[in-house]
Amino acid sequence: TDTDATDVELMTRIARGDDQALALLVQRHQNAVFSTAYRMLGDRTEAEDLTQLTFIRVWKAAPGYSPTA
């Protein structure tokens, strides 16, 4: 099932344009990314923006993703 997919598998699927894989990766990691950003910035709105930008960068970088890098 999709929920059993590893992050590496999801990144491979995202690189092929699989929007469901991206949604699952975001769902899986958004709380941790937001929490880290909030602790660093101390501002909820800024942390939300940074979280969104983080996942946009993941999506854009997916075609060049190499799990061994």
Side-chain angles (χ1 to χ4, degrees), residues 2-20:
D2 274 352
T3 57
D4 294 331
T6 67
D7 289 346
V8 171
E9 292 168 336
L10 292 176
M11 286 298 292
T12 300
R13 290 171 44 194
I14 293 165
R16 287 187 259 138
D18 186 337
D19 293 336
Q20 287 182 329

Side-chain angles (χ1 to χ4, degrees), residues 9-64:
E9 292 168 336
L10 292 176
M11 286 298 292
T12 300
R13 290 171 44 194
I14 293 165
R16 287 187 259 138
D18 186 337
D19 293 336
Q20 287 182 329
L22 177 61
L24 183 56
L25 191 76
V26 170
Q27 179 183 1
R28 189 177 284 179
H29 295 287
Q30 69 183 349
N31 289 338
V33 172
F34 173 80
S35 295
T36 300
Y38 185 72
R39 280 193 306 272
M40 292 172 62
L41 300 170
D43 181 275
R44 182 174 187 79
T45 301
E46 290 293 322
E48 289 170 349
D49 289 347
L50 184 57
T51 299
Q52 184 175 30
L53 288 172
T54 298
F55 288 109
I56 289 170
R57 290 187 73 178
V58 166
W59 172 68
K60 287 182 176 182

